[in-house]
Structure formats: C-alpha cells, structure tokens
C-alpha cells in the first residue's frame, strides 16, 4: 500500500479511537475544551478553536479532572483519580500522534513507502471501543492498560520506521514521537 494511503487509513482508525477517548473523558466528568474533530479531504482533520504554536503547546484543555463526575456526588478514590489521569494522558498522546501523522501525510511524497502497521491502529481502535463498553472499573483499567501499551507500540514502531527513512522532516518527526512516548509514560 502506498505511503499516503496507508497513513490516511491509520489516521482514520486512530481518529475513531481518539473520539472514543474524548467521550470516555467526558463521561467521567472531564470537559475537553479547545479541540474537536471534523471530516476533511484526507478522511479526518483535527480542528482547533485556537491553533497550536507548536506540538509542545498542543494540549487538551481538561477541566474538572479532580471533581466528582456529574452522575455521582461521591468523591473519587485514588484508583479512580489515577485511572482518569492515565486516560487523559492516553488521549493527549493520541491527539499529539494524530497531529504528527497529519504532518507526515502533508510532507510525504506520493511514491514514498511507509511501513506503518495498520493492524496496530485497528487494535488500538478496538481496545478503545471495548473500553467504552466496560462498566466494571477493574476491567476498564485493564483495557486502559492495553490501550496505553498499544499506543506505545504504535509510537515506537513509527519512531523506528522514521529512523530508517531519509527525508527532510524525519528528524523533527522522530523527536516529536520520542516526546509523545515520554509524556505517555509520565507518572
């Protein structure tokens, strides 16, 4: 599969996963401001209420992360706070990865072969969908762990693939991917 077509397919699956993550955050009482997804010519485009100056400035504006969810007036346990924090990190990392992949799509020559793993993006989307169906906190956290590992695998594989390519923007993309991976694993 040619590079741009593969990147578009990967973007499509990861955009669906990101949409699910945003829904999960909102269901847990975390408002996600300044970000929304819109359909575009490439299958998906990220749109912002304010454009980010650079990738490091791009953050989900998460409000109410330490407040109880709307459906519950009881206070959150430490485990629930940790789970919400990790879910927020996975969503932020997914958004950052989508921005990097759109940058790759914008700069990738039509004849360039890019060996991104479509199956990893499909698996990530499926894990996020399964996570949305969980009613038990323990099972939700298990799926969240799987989603975080799968996303880390996607980023690691992409970093490796970028390392093996010689293009003008590959070095910048490699640094951005390393930063995303680091933020994904922050405690």
């Amino acid at each position: 599969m040619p590079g741009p077509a593969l990147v578009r397919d990967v973007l499509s699956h990861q955009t669906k996963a990101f949409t699910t993550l945003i829904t999960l955050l909102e269901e847990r009482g975390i408002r996600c401001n300044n970000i929304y997804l819109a359909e575009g010519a490439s299958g998906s485009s990220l749109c912002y209420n304010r454009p980010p100056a650079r990738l490091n400035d791009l953050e989900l504006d998460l409000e109410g992360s330490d407040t109880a969810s709307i459906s519950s007036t009881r206070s959150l346990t430490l485990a629930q706070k940790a789970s919400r924090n990790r879910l927020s990190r996975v969503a932020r990392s997914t958004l950052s990865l989508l921005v990097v992949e759109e940058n790759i799509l914008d700069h990738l020559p039509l004849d360039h072969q890019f060996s991104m793993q479509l199956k990893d993006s499909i698996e990530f989307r499926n894990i996020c969908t399964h996570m949305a169906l969980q009613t038990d906190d323990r099972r939700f956290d298990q799926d969240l762990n799987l989603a975080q590992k799968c996303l880390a695998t996607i980023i690691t594989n992409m970093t490796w693939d970028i390392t093996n390519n010689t293009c003008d923007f590959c070095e910048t993309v490699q640094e951005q991917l390393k930063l995303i991976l680091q933020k994904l694993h922050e405690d």
Side-chain angles (χ1 to χ4, degrees):
M1 179 179 288
L6 177 62
V7 175
R8 270 189 223 96
D9 286 346
V10 165
L11 268 167
S12 174
H13 292 292
Q14 291 174 5
T15 300
K16 289 175 186 171
F18 178 70
T19 302
T20 302
L21 292 169
I22 293 300
T23 301
L24 288 169
L25 284 166
E26 290 173 349
E27 286 175 357
R28 281 156 180 73
I30 303 171
R31 290 188 308 259
C32 304
N33 298 327
N34 298 326
I35 186 74
Y36 62 95
L37 297 175
E39 290 300 316
S42 67
S44 69
S45 294
L46 297 172
C47 301
Y48 310 93
N49 291 339
R50 58 175 172 71
R54 60 185 188 278
L55 184 63
N56 293 344
D57 292 341
L58 191 141
E59 293 289 331
L60 278 173
D61 184 12
L62 301 175
E63 294 182 3
S65 59
D66 288 332
T67 61
S69 68
I70 296 167
S71 64
S72 173
T73 56
R74 65 181 169 85
S75 60
L76 297 172
T77 65
L78 272 168
Q80 290 169 325
K81 287 181 182 182
S83 179
R84 288 169 55 149
N85 186 358
R86 187 167 354 138
L87 180 61
S88 297
R89 276 197 325 268
V90 170
R92 282 187 184 108
S93 297
T94 303
L95 175 60
S96 297
L97 179 62
L98 286 168
V99 170
V100 169
E101 289 170 340
E102 283 196 346
N103 186 33
I104 289 171
L105 188 59
D106 289 343
H107 294 91
L108 195 64
L110 292 175
D111 62 343
H112 189 83
Q113 294 296 319
F114 201 75
S115 61
M116 295 172 81
Q117 296 295 319
L118 182 60
K119 69 176 182 63
D120 291 337
S121 294
I122 293 170
E123 181 181 352
F124 181 61
R125 182 204 64 204
N126 290 343
I127 291 169
C128 290
T129 301
H130 190 264
M131 189 170 29
L133 300 173
Q134 297 302 330
T135 56
D136 178 55
D137 285 346
R138 188 174 50 86
R139 288 189 179 164
F140 178 86
D141 287 341
Q142 289 171 346
D143 283 347
L144 184 54
N145 285 336
L146 288 174
Q148 186 175 13
K149 287 178 186 176
C150 189
L151 186 59
T153 299
I154 291 168
I155 296 167
T156 302
N157 289 343
M158 188 178 293
T159 303
W160 178 253
D161 190 56
I162 290 291
T163 303
N164 294 327
N165 284 306
T166 54
C167 58
D168 296 339
F169 66 98
C170 289
E171 196 170 304
T172 302
V173 169
Q174 186 178 1
E175 290 304 314
Q176 290 172 340
L177 290 170
K178 287 179 182 178
L179 180 64
I180 294 168
L181 190 60
Q182 178 185 354
K183 287 187 176 196
L184 177 64
H185 293 300
E186 284 180 351
D187 288 327

